[in-house]
Amino acid sequence: MFEALGLMVFYENMLALNNVSLGCGDNQIVGVFGANSAGKSTLMYTLSGIMEDIAKKERMSGGERITIRGKITFTGKDISHAKPAARAKAGIILCPERRRIFPESSVLENLRIAGYLATPAQAEETLEYVFKTFPPLTKITRRLGGFLSGGEQQMLAIGRALMAQPKLLLLDEPLLGLSPAIQYWLAKSIKEIADERGVSIIVAEQYARPIMPIIDYGYILENGSAVIEGGKDELMNNPDVKSAYFGA
Ligand code: ATP
């Protein structure tokens, strides 16, 4: 349903993504694993269209020269140059790194604002689903976003993404800064969301250990290149992946 072919992104002369191709089928969870600076956020920005916007703004302000190449298709349509808003409307929703929630709005307000693409009935149904999936949020509906713990913020960030009625959810480092117990719990919730909502998910993460068991297919990103790819078992049994991600 989603395919990216030969993605290249240059920041000035620095190659941040080098000929990356990846795909995600209906109802699949695809993992993109990589260390700091491997290019995960650049990839997620490129897939969601935000990279095109950043490049345009830089061009207009005479700033950094950002060059983007490659082709992206979604449900059979070429969306390589579609704006982020058009991609969101088509169902590609990014949940960015570091949980960009509104710190001065309450949990409930954060969720409701994010439902602007939904019909009122969809918004109510999704709100109920978010609270069912993330029970800790039910007790803090009035708390301001800025006063949440890291785990609560991440639940809210994913909840916000769900309110936008995704067909393809792009999760950028959802586990960053969370305790191992919460990481495993969130990974389980991400799998539940894929199964129960019929959503496809591409998740970029440094922490492969909790995420690897929930994926169907994965890619290892190193210095902007997808150096290894394969099904879950294939990746988990790959000696290079084992030593880099599982300390074996
Ligand atoms: P992290 O885990 O630190 O977020 P990442 O895998 O998401 O890392 P990116 O943020 O995509 O990596 O960065 C990939 C490379 O591109 C890095 O070397 C980074 O320093 C560089 N980079 C990112 N944004 C810019 C920019 N606006 N200008 C120049 N270089 C950039």
Side-chain angles (χ1 to χ4, degrees), residues 78-93:
D78 186 341
I79 56 155
S80 313
H81 302 290
K83 291 194 164 46
R87 294 189 208 199
K89 212 164 177 188
I92 302 175
I93 304 295

Side-chain angles (χ1 to χ4, degrees), residues 9-16 42 51-68:
V9 173
F10 296 84
Y11 296 111
E12 297 285 348
N13 296 323
M14 188 250 174
L15 184 55
T42 302
M51 207 65 216
E52 296 265 339
D53 255 22
I54 297 173
K56 198 162 126 201
K57 281 188 190 124
E58 291 283 344
R59 259 197 315 275
M60 279 161 55
S61 66
E64 189 176 38
R65 186 165 42 94
I66 299 175
T67 313
I68 307 163

Side-chain angles (χ1 to χ4, degrees), residues 19-236:
N19 200 19
V20 173
S21 296
L22 60 82
C24 184
D26 282 331
N27 272 350
Q28 272 195 336
I29 302 183
V30 167
V32 179
F33 304 103
N36 273 329
S37 297
K40 301 183 298 298
S41 296
T42 302
L43 175 66
M44 297 308 245
Y45 282 151
T46 306
L47 300 182
S48 60
I50 289 173
M51 207 65 216
E52 296 265 339
D53 255 22
I54 297 173
K56 198 162 126 201
K57 281 188 190 124
E58 291 283 344
R59 259 197 315 275
M60 279 161 55
S61 66
E64 189 176 38
R65 186 165 42 94
I66 299 175
T67 313
I68 307 163
R69 293 279 177 272
K71 184 173 175 185
I72 303 176
T73 59
F74 182 54
T75 58
K77 292 190 195 84
D78 186 341
I79 56 155
S80 313
H81 302 290
K83 291 194 164 46
R87 294 189 208 199
K89 212 164 177 188
I92 302 175
I93 304 295
L94 172 69
C95 188
E97 192 186 343
R98 296 184 201 286
R99 313 152 191 149
R100 307 266 164 73
I101 56 176
F102 295 119
E104 283 164 22
S105 301
S106 71
V107 165
L108 191 59
E109 284 162 353
N110 261 284
L111 289 168
R112 288 213 181 274
I113 300 163
Y116 71 98
L117 287 170
T119 64
Q122 279 175 329
E124 286 316 306
E125 187 274 335
T126 311
L127 203 56
E128 227 170 88
Y129 180 79
V130 170
F131 286 129
K132 176 183 102 47
T133 307
F134 299 125
L137 294 184
T138 55
K139 299 191 192 89
I140 51 169
T141 53
R142 286 156 185 265
R143 192 170 301 167
L144 300 186
F147 289 96
L148 305 184
S149 70
E152 290 163 350
Q153 283 186 21
Q154 190 58 55
M155 290 177 218
L156 181 56
I158 297 177
R160 282 175 48 83
L162 288 176
M163 290 298 290
Q165 313 298 312
K167 293 192 177 76
L168 173 68
L169 193 54
L170 304 173
L171 298 176
D172 193 2
E173 300 207 45
L175 307 187
L176 191 69
L178 304 180
S179 72
I182 297 183
Q183 290 187 341
Y184 279 95
W185 185 79
L186 260 182
K188 198 174 106 289
S189 309
I190 292 169
K191 171 82 175 110
E192 261 171 41
I193 289 168
D195 291 344
E196 294 172 359
R197 307 295 281 185
V199 181
S200 303
I201 298 180
I202 300 179
V203 51
E205 193 45 81
Q206 294 192 40
Y207 301 105
R209 214 184 270 269
I211 294 289
M212 197 71 90
I214 68 163
I215 66 166
D216 296 294
Y217 200 83
Y219 301 81
I220 307 290
L221 203 58
E222 256 179 44
N223 295 321
S225 298
V227 290
I228 302 173
E229 65 174 87
K232 170 172 52 183
D233 296 333
E234 209 179 324
L235 281 187
M236 285 173 90

